[in-house]
């Protein structure tokens, strides 16, 4: 099935999706019902996803991963931000939002809640196919075919309701529903996080297999660093609605530059003793996203924070050693005013 | 096909048969549960008996429900072949009680059915679209909620004038607000679930999602709640007739019969209270049936 | 928290305005010319002109409403067509009579409901529990106007124990309330108490049963099961919902006693409403409905705030 995708217009070098300045603030209402504050869920992030890659997204709970996913899916309106799909700007004069949506699908974390309890597996998958204009019989047939593709025998599973399946089987149905619409980008928001380890491995294998066969690109969101390491080509690290670091997976794993990333890794059982010493594990909870700290948002939990960190916000800039690796930290930028500026980049 | 992840093809045929999908829908399970509930069965039988005897009254009782006789007024039950006696105008009580089920049962069910359609639709729309749409609909509903139900029914029926149509309108108006509230809150809950997001992600329009995804999930709770109102509806509807605001003479209606027989309570108390027995029986049956329905819903959830 | 209470109070204002809007629309919903709805058929041309000007029937609807609304705000609901007296002076005593009935009924229902609920919840005998549940269903399902008739048959017609209808001699002055008044009050109050008693019995029974389940688990863990402690626990947990139910049901009774008042010829708001309807006395109808609905709204708010103060997690609206 690998070959030239007729939808591929920009060529292999053109990223499938470029996101810029994406922002979403959720209004908070007080007891009188007026908007009193905003949750800064996603605050001006930009990144690109290359064709055929798997971009992992990591970060603590509440840092805005799911919000980013829903924004990409056009499930919620961004307050600001632009999208470029395969070279064409989305919005006025370019690709329609609908067209973008058609090329992106999503698999949610909760396999049970994301399936309609009153629909059988086949009905659930066929729904999307009918929405894009296929008649009931065709949709039904394709749904069964898709079930087979995700490793579920349609004779056994097509007529099953969600409560009649295991978590792994349900998540396969969710994946089937996503790929049935033939998207180019599949967003997996904690898609395997709720599954047992052995089932998780099977589903990851399936995802790998589907990616090859269907020419898919993945945005893989997870808080499980080991899983992200296993599946990703590149990794994007988020903290309180911002991107703090992004780069090739091996580089991030070996030479994480941001203190947050390092702390994140040391809180997992690291095989690498050097890393464990390099940064103390994270303590406490992230600050309130309604009133994030000034300057660098991580500074309140950062052991290396200095005055400059409170005074100015570090920009996400490419590392001088590797243009694909970008960090948003004053320490990583020579001349930022931080006493360790430029030191860490060489330390590793 | 990645055989590493399926392993199903390897199963022997016998095992496959055992693993055959039950594929049992929500409503089938609910029905099964109800059929095992003895109280529910008894109530259902009583209600069916009342309904059927009302529908087939002309074939069950030979007497004319409107034929009056000055000579045979207020005969006690059993006398001169009148199984349940006669009313204040000498009409056969049994006949009128059976015929009365037509109006009384309809007046219990029709307002609730109408209110469920209207209030349900309003609540679902308010819950699904949220924000201003929700504000607009629910604030108006709140105003109607500001009246005690009996007061609203009586005042509306009083203003519109006596008659079956008008009391139907008043009762429907009484039941729309509570049903809309329940529908709204259930819809809001369902709407925030991931499967609705997933449905939206396919690019489906709002109406399609409401019809194909929301309805099946909200009708259960809405109907359960609505079923608990049938008993109330029968009592208030008969109450309106009792006040002279509902059915008009000489129609046979339990509430109206109670009204016209009220004066006879000193002379023929048994005859006078008989129509109330019918109202009570129906209302209790609907109440218990509704309780069973709720239990069945809770258990399967 | 206080903000919530404030919001809840503020929100009653638009609701009350909405109530007046609905009541205003009564004039135009009633069949026939609104003038005829407000006036008796034999009204003189003089009166017709006077009323026309007062209601502003020649002006557009919104203006009509505003004129009327301004009057209502000052407590002026117009004159009763039946008695030619100000509506408010008719509604006042009627509300007092209905309130007397409703308060008595609510207290009765509390004694009955809480007693039966406790009995059912505390007993280990299934039969007692069954009996109480049956009573609760009965209370909720019985057409109370019919129950009233039965009570009249039993206690007035057959046993001659209590008067069948009417209010005692102190109807016009409740400060003179005496034994004879109490005897008149008993039957309608019992009748009205049925519904709330059923609801309270159900709720108390459920609360007590739940607490006993918890206590049972504690016992299994080795803590002794002491009756007085359970009882205290029960009171603490069952009181808030019971008080809330009583409040809400009291509000329902104020507006819902019309049927029972008719059965017992009790000179309350229901009686007034009935009279207003049969004589097509719309100003009286509007006035009664607005007053009752306002009481209803305010009682509901009070219950809501009470619950919020007790348990801030219960936040509705
Ligand atoms: N609909 C919403 N309304 C208000 N706040 C929201 C909403 N959705 C998410 N948030 C808030 O936005 C922040 C980011 O949430 P989310 O994107 O779900 O984080 P993650 O998926 O990384 O755990 C959290 O603080 C969350 O509470
Ligand atoms: Mg998330």
């Amino acid at each position: 099935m690998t070959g030239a995708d007729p939808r591929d217009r920009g060529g292999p070098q053109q990223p499938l999706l470029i996101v810029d300045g994406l922002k979403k603030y959720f209004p908070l209402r007080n007891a009188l019902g007026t908007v009193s504050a905003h949750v800064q869920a996603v605050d001006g992030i930009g990144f690109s996803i290359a064709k055929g890659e798997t971009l992992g997204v990591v970060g603590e709970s509440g840092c805005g991963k799911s919000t980013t996913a829903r924004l990409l899916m056009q499930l919620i309106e961004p307050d600001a931000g632009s999208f470029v799909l395969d070279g064409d700007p989305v919005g006025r004069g370019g690709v329609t939002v609908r067209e973008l949506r058609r090329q992106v699908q999503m698999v949610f974390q909760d396999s049970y809640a994301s399936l309609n309890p009153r629909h059988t597996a086949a009905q659930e998958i066929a729904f999307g196919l009918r929405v894009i204009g296929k008649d009931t019989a065709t949709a039904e047939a394709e749904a069964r075919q898709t079930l087979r593709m995700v490793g579920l025998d349609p004779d056994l599973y097509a007529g099953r309701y969600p409560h009649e399946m295991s978590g792994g089987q349900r998540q396969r149905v969710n994946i089937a529903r996503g790929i049935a619409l033939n998207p180019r980008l599949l967003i997996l928001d904690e898609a395997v996080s709720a599954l047992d380890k052995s089932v998780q491995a099977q589903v990851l294998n399936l995802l790998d297999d589907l990616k090859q066969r269907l020419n898919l690109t993945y945005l893989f969101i997870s808080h499980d660093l080991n899983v992200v390491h296993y599946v990703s080509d590149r990794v994007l690290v988020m903290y309180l609605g911002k991107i703090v670091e992004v780069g090739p997976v091996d580089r991030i794993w070996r030479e994480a530059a941001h203190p947050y990333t390092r702390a994140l890794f040391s809180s997992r059982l690291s095989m690498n003793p050097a890393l464990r010493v390099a940064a103390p594990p994270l303590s406490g909870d992230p600050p309130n996203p309604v009133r994030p700290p000034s300057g660098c948002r991580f500074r309140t939990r950062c052991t290396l924070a200095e005055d400059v960190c409170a005074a100015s916000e570090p920009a996400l800039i490419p590392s001088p050693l590797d243009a694909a690796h970008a960090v948003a930290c004053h320490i990583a930028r020579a001349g930022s005013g931080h006493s360790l500026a430029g030191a860490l980049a060489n330390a590793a | 096909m990645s055989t590493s992840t399926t392993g199903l093809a390897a199963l022997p045929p016998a095992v496959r048969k055992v693993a055959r999908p039950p594929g049992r829908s929500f409503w089938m399970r609910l029905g099964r549960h109800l059929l095992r509930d003895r109280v529910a069965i008894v109530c259902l039988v009583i209600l069916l008996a009342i309904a059927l005897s009302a529908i087939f009254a002309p074939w069950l009782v030979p007497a004319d429900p409107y034929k009056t006789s000055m000579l045979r007024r207020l005969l006690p039950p059993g006398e001169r072949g009148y199984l349940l006696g006669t009313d204040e105008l000498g009409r056969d009580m049994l006949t009128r009680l059976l015929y009365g089920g037509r109006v009384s049962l309809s007046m219990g069910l029709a307002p609730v059915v109408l209110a469920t359609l209207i209030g349900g639709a309003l609540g679902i729309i308010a819950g699904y679209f949220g924000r201003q749409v929700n504000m607009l609909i629910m604030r108006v509903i709140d105003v109607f909620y500001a009246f005690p139900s009996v007061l609203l029914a009586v005042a509306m029926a009083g203003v519109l004038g006596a008659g079956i149509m008008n009391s139907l309108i008043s009762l429907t108006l009484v039941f729309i607000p509570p049903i809309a509230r329940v529908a709204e809150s259930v819809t809001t809950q369902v709407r925030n679930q991931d499967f609705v997001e997933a449905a939206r992600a396919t690019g489906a329009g709002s109406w399609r999602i409401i019809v194909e995804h929301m309805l099946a999930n909200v009708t259960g709770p809405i109907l359960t709640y609505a079923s608990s109102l049938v008993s109330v509806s029968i009592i208030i509807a008969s109450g309106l007739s009792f006040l002279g605001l509902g059915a008009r003479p000489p129609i046979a209606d339990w509430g109206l019969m109670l009204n016209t027989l009220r004066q006879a309570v000193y002379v023929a108390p048994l005859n006078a209270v008989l129509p109330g027995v019918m109202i009570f029986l129906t209302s209790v049956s609907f109440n218990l049936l509704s309780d069973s329905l709720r239990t069945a819903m809770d258990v399967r959830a | 928290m206080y903000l919530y209470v404030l919001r809840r109070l503020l929100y009653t204002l638009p609701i009350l305005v909405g109530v007046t809007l609905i009541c205003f629309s009564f004039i135009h919903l009633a069949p026939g010319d609104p003038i005829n709805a407000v006036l008796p058929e034999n009204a003189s041309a003089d009166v017709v002109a006077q009323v026309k000007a007062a209601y502003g029937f020649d002006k557009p609807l919104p203006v009509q409403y505003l004129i009327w609304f301004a009057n209502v705000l000052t407590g002026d609901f117009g004159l009763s067509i039946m008695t030619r007296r100000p509506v408010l002076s008719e509604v006042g005593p009627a509300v007092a009579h209905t309130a007397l009935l409703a308060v008595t009924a609510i207290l009765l229902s509390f004694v009955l409901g809480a007693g039966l609920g406790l009995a059912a919840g505390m007993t280990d005998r299934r039969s007692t529990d069954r009996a109480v549940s049956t009573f609760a269903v009965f209370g909720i399902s019985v057409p109370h106007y019919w129950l009233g008739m039965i009570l009249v048959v039993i206690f007035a017609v057959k046993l001659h124990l209590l008067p069948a209808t009417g209010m005692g001699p102190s109807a016009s002055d409740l400060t003179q309330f005496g034994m004879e008044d109490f005897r008149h009050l008993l039957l309608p109050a019992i009748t009205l108490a049925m519904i709330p008693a059923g609801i309270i019995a159900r709720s108390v029974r459920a609360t007590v049963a739940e607490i006993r389940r918890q206590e049972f688990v504690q016992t299994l863990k080795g803590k002794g099961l002491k009756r007085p402690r359970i009882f205290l626990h029960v009171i603490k947990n069952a009181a808030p919902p019971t008080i809330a139910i009583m409040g809400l049901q009291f509000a329902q009774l104020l507006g819902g006693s019309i049927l029972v008042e008719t059965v017992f010829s009790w000179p309350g708001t229901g009686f007034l409403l009935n009279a207003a309807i049969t004589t097509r006395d719309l100003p009286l109808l509007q006035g009664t409905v607005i007053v009752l609905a306002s009481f209803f709204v305010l009682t509901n708010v009070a219950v809501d705030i009470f619950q919020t103060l007790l348990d801030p997690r219960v936040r509705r609206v």
Side-chain angles (χ1 to χ4, degrees), chain A residues 112-187:
Chain A
Y112 196 78
S114 51
L115 291 176
N116 188 331
R118 305 277 188 275
H119 283 183
T120 62
Q123 284 173 337
E124 187 72 45
I125 300 165
F127 175 77
L129 292 165
R130 285 189 291 116
V131 168
I132 60 171
K134 307 208 162 151
D135 64 71
T136 312
T138 315
E140 192 80 14
E142 282 188 26
R144 291 174 67 88
Q145 213 177 320
T146 318
L147 274 175
R148 202 180 294 281
M149 281 175 65
V150 297
L152 296 175
D153 181 349
D155 291 337
L156 280 169
Y157 292 95
R160 288 212 185 178
Y161 288 92
H163 65 94
E164 295 166 339
M165 290 184 278
S166 71
Q169 290 163 348
R170 281 197 295 264
Q171 207 55 302
R172 283 167 194 263
V173 174
N174 275 312
I175 294 169
R177 177 179 56 194
I179 62 170
L181 295 179
N182 199 17
R184 295 172 78 185
L185 173 64
L186 189 63
I187 301 172

Side-chain angles (χ1 to χ4, degrees), chain A residues 29-34, chain C residues 3-4 6-7 10 315:
Chain A
R29 287 167 196 284
N30 62 13
L32 282 177
T34 49
Chain C
L3 222 57
Y4 171 78
L6 183 70
R7 178 186 174 199
L10 280 179
R315 281 202 190 167

Side-chain angles (χ1 to χ4, degrees), chain A residues 26-28 39 41 59-68 70 189 289:
Chain A
F26 290 108
L28 283 182
V39 178
E60 286 162 293
S61 168
C63 69
K65 305 183 297 291
S66 295
T67 305
T68 306
R70 291 166 74 214
D189 186 0

